[in-house]
């Protein structure tokens, strides 16, 4: 099955790219853009920067010590997308592999001398994942041979040591190779890497061992900490090991760590990571909007982890977090043209950043989509994730199919053939049409924010159709069935299905105020707006009024768009706000609380909000997600 994650057991089984086909729509358009534009863009820049030439033996070597991994991520994306350039690029990589399976353009001749920072095992992880993708989409070939030889080399070299890598990644790759080949040593190697971490297995560094999750053993950790991408990649590998070895204690440990991280260390966008210095999680409730790092790669790792936990447990909360992160982080990381990217994703940008013209940017420059970075992990990560995105849409169990994410397309599994039509996330209607006679349970996720959702069913025009349901009204003849309320979780319909039968889920899409927990010091006295799965922000481009003087009037509900508008157009919103008047005091501190708009008074205005994932597409801009509340004492 063409799927990046294929556990041998679990509550739910994933449906792969061969079972889920996306049609034009929010995600279908982005998958097409990735296949037609982004993958080629990444390949072009890696040729330009000399990273692919490293495999051709060109000297001096160019790129960071982990640049090999970017070629491997690109190869994985090419495999999922069926890209015709894959064999040629894979052959270039294969020629650089040494006789015993070792492959690294930076450390050849000086192997494994810096496990803390060298990234050799990390690079192997991405190579192995690319090989698994090729094996599942095409079958054995040159790339799969290279990946297996590298994995065998790792097992020979590290099986009986106490060493591990400063950047987790290889753990989940080895488990997936075990799943694809049935070779036990890959699972055992992954298990040993997991159990070694925190003993400690690595030397001290100036960020401390928590930076690479080597401060405490995995089973003893209470929350995700340290470098956000490292922590989340490790957690993915831990879930994989736990599932394949039947280690429920280990799985429960990760579930508990995830819960605390979501409750205390996650931005409203789903982004993870608060500190720029070490790209790390902060302490509990340390979530500053302007200094949020929220690296795009961390969001992708978060999606990968939540999806694994969903498969293992069947709990809808994991799909809820996946959805939040998909729409507000993954979609944000890629510009609408498919050729420029965000590395960090702050929630407040005070100064518009000027994009570079044809040169690489530094990763730490925030508020700036760039065509390429000197550390370009994010562009290639986006490319491989979008290429495999259909595999996240739906799952199956013995009773039927579960649809977790709403996007136009077709889903086929067992005796069920379904067509999904929707304007989501702009409109809340989701229609699932049965394409062929069959039997089974069809479950649609109702997001946690969707209080007031309804489900209805309609039979094919001849009046025959599905009978029996749980959480849905009885089927009846005709096309105008009554709708019944459904609670967040899963709305379920089951029975005998005839071609033409339909299920209709209606999700409430009215904009809603969202307030932060008061323990988040940096956000106290602010508010943001959400609509459906989308977080909104204010944006100012060019000569548009500055955002610093604005405060939201929460006594007035956000204004929604007309109900009769086309469902596939991007929705922008308006809220009532106060713009502060100039203050001649010359001192920003005083003995009494400001009146709305500041001590000098203010004027009522209307503030236009855009979906967070669309900001920065009109040129250099300032932006803020969290708006001060007019008149509220901090």
């Amino acid at each position: 099955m063409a799927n990046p994650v294929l556990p041998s057991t679990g509550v739910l089984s994933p449906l792969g790219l061969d079972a889920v086909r996306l049609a034009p729509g929010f995600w279908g358009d982005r998958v097409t853009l990735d296949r037609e534009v982004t993958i080629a863009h990444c390949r072009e820049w890696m040729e330009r920067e000399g990273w692919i030439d490293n495999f051709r033996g060109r000297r001096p070597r160019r790129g960071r010590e982990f640049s090999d991994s970017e070629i491997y991520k690109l190869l994985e994306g090419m495999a999922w997308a069926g890209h015709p350039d894959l064999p040629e690029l894979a052959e270039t990589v294969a020629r650089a592999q040494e006789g015993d399976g070792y492959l690294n353009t930076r450390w050849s001749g000086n192997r494994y001398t810096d496990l803390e920072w060298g990234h050799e095992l990390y690079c192997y992880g991405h190579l192995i994942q690319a090989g698994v993708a090729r094996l599942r989409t095409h079958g054995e070939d040159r790339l799969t041979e290279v990946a297996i030889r590298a994995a065998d080399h790792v097992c020979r070299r590290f099986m009986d040591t106490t060493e591990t890598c400063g950047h987790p990644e290889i753990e989940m790759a080895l488990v997936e190779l075990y799943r694809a080949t049935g070779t036990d040593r890959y699972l055992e190697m992954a298990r040993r890497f997991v159990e070694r971490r925190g003993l400690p297995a690595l030397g001290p560094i100036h960020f401390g061992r928590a930076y690479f999750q080597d401060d405490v053993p995995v089973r003893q950790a209470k929350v995700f900490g340290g470098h956000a991408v490292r922590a989340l990649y490790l957690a993915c590998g831990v879930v994989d090991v736990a599932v394949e070895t039947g280690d429920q204690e280990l799985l429960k440990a990760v579930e508990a760590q995830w819960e605390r991280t979501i409750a205390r260390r996650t931005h409203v966008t789903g982004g993870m990571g608060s500190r720029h210095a070490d790209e790390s999680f902060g302490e509990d409730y340390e979530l500053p909007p302007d200094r949020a790092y929220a690296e795009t790669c961390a969001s992708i790792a978060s999606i990968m982890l939540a999806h694994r936990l969903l498969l293992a447990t069947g709990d809808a909360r994991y799909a809820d977090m996946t959805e939040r992160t998909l729409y507000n982080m993954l979609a944000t990381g890629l510009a609408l043209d498919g050729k420029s990217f965000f590395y960090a994703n702050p929630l407040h940008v005070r100064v518009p950043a000027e994009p570079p013209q044809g040169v690489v940017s530094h990763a730490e420059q925030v508020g700036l989509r760039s065509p390429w970075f000197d550390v370009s992990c994010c562009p290639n990560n986006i490319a491989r994730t979008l290429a495999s995105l259909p595999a996240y849409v739906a799952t199956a169990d013995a009773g039927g199919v579960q649809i977790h994410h709403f996007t136009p397309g077709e889903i086929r599994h067992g005796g069920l053939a379904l067509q999904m039509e929707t304007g989501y996330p702009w409109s809340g209607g989701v229609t699932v049409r049965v394409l062929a006679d069959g039997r089974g349970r069809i479950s649609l996720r109702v997001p946690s924010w969707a209080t007031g959702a309804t489900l209805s069913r309609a039979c094919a025009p001849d009046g025959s159709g599905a009978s029996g349901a749980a959480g849905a009204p009885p089927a009846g003849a005709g096309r105008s069935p009554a709708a019944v309320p459904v609670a967040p979780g899963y709305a379920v319909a089951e029975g005998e299905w005839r071609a033409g039968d339909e299920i209709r889920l209606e999700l409430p899409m009215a904009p809603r105020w969202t307030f932060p927990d008061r323990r988040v010091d940096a956000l106290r006295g602010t508010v943001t707006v959400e609509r459906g799965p989308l977080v909104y922000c204010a944006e100012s481009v060019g000569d548009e009024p500055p955002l610093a003087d604005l405060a939201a009037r929460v006594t007035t509900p956000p204004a929604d768009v007309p109900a009769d508008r086309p469902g596939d157009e991007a929705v922008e919103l308006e809220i009532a706000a106060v713009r502060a008047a100039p203050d001649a005091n010359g001192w920003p501190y005083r003995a009494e609380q400001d009146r709305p708009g500041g001590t000098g008074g203010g004027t009522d205005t209307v503030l236009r909000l855009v979906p967070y994932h669309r900001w920065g597409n009109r040129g250099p801009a300032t932006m803020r997600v969290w708006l001060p509340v007019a008149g509220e004492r901090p």
Side-chain angles (χ1 to χ4, degrees):
M1 181 188 294
N3 199 304
V5 184
L6 273 178
S8 63
T9 186
V11 174
L12 303 177
S13 298
L15 298 184
L17 278 64
D18 42 0
V20 180
R21 299 297 177 92
L22 302 191
F26 187 95
W27 289 116
D29 293 348
R30 283 163 172 78
V31 170
T32 299
L33 183 70
D34 180 54
R35 183 175 62 249
E36 296 180 353
V37 176
T38 305
I39 287 176
H41 175 87
C42 292
R43 169 73 186 268
E44 176 186 343
W45 270 92
M46 284 191 284
E47 288 282 14
R48 175 176 174 172
E49 291 300 302
W51 298 358
I52 297 177
D53 273 347
N54 293 336
F55 289 88
R56 300 182 179 115
R58 308 270 172 88
R59 290 292 184 266
R61 185 187 183 279
R62 297 174 64 182
R64 293 289 300 272
E65 61 273 19
F66 40 73
S67 65
D68 288 5
S69 71
E70 307 312 333
I71 286 80
Y72 303 151
K73 289 179 200 168
L74 182 63
L75 281 166
E76 183 185 347
M78 286 179 166
W80 298 128
H83 200 283
D85 290 351
L86 184 148
E88 178 266 329
L89 182 57
E91 183 60 32
T92 298
V93 169
R95 289 173 183 158
Q97 190 169 35
E98 299 182 29
D100 64 350
Y102 182 86
L103 177 55
N104 191 282
T105 68
R106 166 63 178 84
W107 297 101
S108 180
N110 197 24
R111 301 179 181 185
Y112 308 121
T113 55
D114 188 358
L115 287 170
E116 287 76 23
W117 297 107
H119 290 77
E120 285 160 284
L121 293 173
Y122 168 81
C123 290
Y124 285 138
H126 284 298
L127 172 61
I128 292 166
Q129 286 177 312
V132 170
R134 186 62 168 171
L135 192 61
R136 288 176 175 163
T137 56
H138 174 82
E140 295 182 6
D141 71 352
R142 190 78 158 123
L143 178 57
T144 65
E145 175 191 347
V146 170
I148 290 171
R149 290 185 65 216
D152 289 341
H153 163 78
V154 169
C155 291
R156 287 193 302 271
R157 170 62 178 76
F158 290 95
M159 187 70 77
D160 296 319
T161 74
T162 59
E163 299 165 302
T164 191
C165 184
H167 198 312
E169 215 285 336
I170 194 171
E171 297 84 356
M172 58 176 156
L174 285 169
V175 176
E176 218 57 57
L177 186 60
Y178 157 75
R179 290 166 172 167
T181 65
T183 303
D184 291 338
R185 64 177 172 274
Y186 304 141
L187 175 59
E188 177 60 18
M189 186 74 262
R191 187 192 69 78
R192 294 189 186 191
F193 279 144
V194 165
E195 298 291 3
R196 288 170 190 171
R197 196 167 293 271
L199 294 180
L202 296 158
I205 61 169
H206 62 286
F207 290 133
R209 284 196 172 93
Y211 174 81
F212 36 50
Q213 299 73 50
D214 197 38
D215 53 333
V216 296
V218 168
R219 296 173 189 272
Q220 297 176 20
K222 303 301 182 186
V223 67
F224 299 145
H227 187 275
V229 180
R230 284 168 164 83
L232 293 164
Y233 277 173
L234 176 62
C236 288
V238 174
V239 172
D240 289 338
V241 168
V243 167
E244 295 304 324
T245 60
D247 191 334
Q248 288 299 307
E249 176 191 46
L250 190 58
L251 180 61
K252 292 298 182 184
V254 180
E255 289 184 74
Q257 294 160 17
W258 184 90
E259 288 174 1
R260 179 165 172 170
T261 303
I262 295 302
R264 305 183 186 192
R265 300 187 176 190
T266 303
H267 298 282
V268 69
T269 55
M272 294 188 180
S274 297
R275 297 179 178 175
H276 285 241
D278 50 357
E279 300 183 324
S280 73
F281 288 98
E283 297 301 323
D284 289 354
Y285 305 109
E286 183 186 341
L287 295 165
D290 51 347
R291 294 298 295 165
Y293 202 67
E295 184 183 337
T296 297
C297 282
S299 69
I300 290 171
S302 177
I303 290 166
M304 294 163 60
L305 174 59
H307 182 64
R308 282 165 164 80
L309 290 169
L310 172 68
L311 298 177
T313 69
D315 193 324
R317 60 185 172 159
Y318 298 119
D320 284 345
M321 184 51 60
T322 299
E323 176 181 77
R324 178 175 293 275
T325 313
L326 283 170
Y327 282 103
N328 301 296
M329 289 298 296
L330 179 63
T332 307
L334 181 67
L336 296 176
D337 65 1
K339 294 182 178 181
S340 59
F341 314 87
F342 278 143
Y343 187 104
N345 294 272
L347 284 75
H348 186 178
V349 174
R350 300 173 187 271
V351 179
E354 291 293 337
Q357 300 299 316
V359 297
V360 299
S361 297
H362 296 296
E364 55 270 18
Q365 289 181 273
V366 299
L368 176 66
R369 277 200 187 89
S370 298
W372 205 247
F373 303 95
D374 53 359
V375 177
S376 272
C377 47
C378 298
N380 302 291
N381 224 349
I382 291 171
R384 69 168 182 149
T385 303
L386 285 174
S388 62
L389 192 66
Y392 292 83
V393 170
T395 60
D397 61 13
V401 167
Q402 303 81 39
I403 300 175
H404 306 286
H405 304 293
F406 306 126
T407 184
E410 291 189 6
I411 300 169
R412 296 178 182 270
H413 174 74
L416 291 174
L418 310 173
Q419 181 181 51
M420 182 162 40
E421 296 177 355
T422 181
Y424 198 75
W426 312 119
S427 58
V430 181
T431 298
V432 176
R433 181 174 298 111
V434 178
L435 298 178
D437 295 357
R439 179 178 179 81
R441 183 187 306 120
I442 302 171
S443 303
L444 284 74
R445 182 179 59 88
V446 181
S448 58
W449 50 261
T451 303
T454 63
L455 189 71
S456 59
R457 295 172 58 176
C459 293
D462 63 3
S464 62
S467 61
R479 312 299 287 181
S480 301
V484 298
V486 287
Y490 288 94
V492 181
E494 62 183 326
E496 298 287 344
W497 299 97
R498 297 290 301 276
D501 290 349
E502 291 183 354
I503 305 170
R504 176 77 175 180
L505 178 66
E506 288 286 351
L507 300 173
M509 300 296 285
R512 59 194 187 273
W513 297 115
T514 298
F515 297 88
D517 189 303
R518 283 185 172 271
R519 288 169 290 188
V520 185
D521 296 300
L523 302 180
R524 202 169 294 146
T526 64
V527 68
T528 191
V529 174
E530 296 184 82
R531 181 181 187 273
L534 302 178
V535 173
Y536 277 71
C537 67
E539 180 187 42
S540 179
V541 178
D543 295 331
E544 294 175 358
L547 303 177
D549 299 332
L550 288 165
R553 282 199 181 279
V554 298
T555 54
T556 306
D560 201 1
V561 296
D564 59 351
R565 61 176 299 284
D568 58 351
E569 294 180 3
V571 173
E572 297 185 356
L573 302 174
E574 293 182 348
I575 62 170
V578 175
R579 184 175 296 281
D583 192 340
N585 190 1
W587 183 241
Y589 312 101
R590 52 191 56 87
E592 61 182 24
Q593 169 69 24
D594 282 355
R595 295 191 299 274
T599 56
T603 57
D604 289 340
T605 187
V606 174
L607 179 60
R608 195 150 188 87
L609 304 180
V610 301
Y612 177 74
H613 74 259
R614 293 181 71 90
W615 92 271
N617 279 282
R618 297 187 294 144
T622 59
M623 176 276 297
R624 64 187 305 167
V625 169
W626 293 103
L627 302 166
V629 174
E632 176 174 315
R633 182 180 296 275

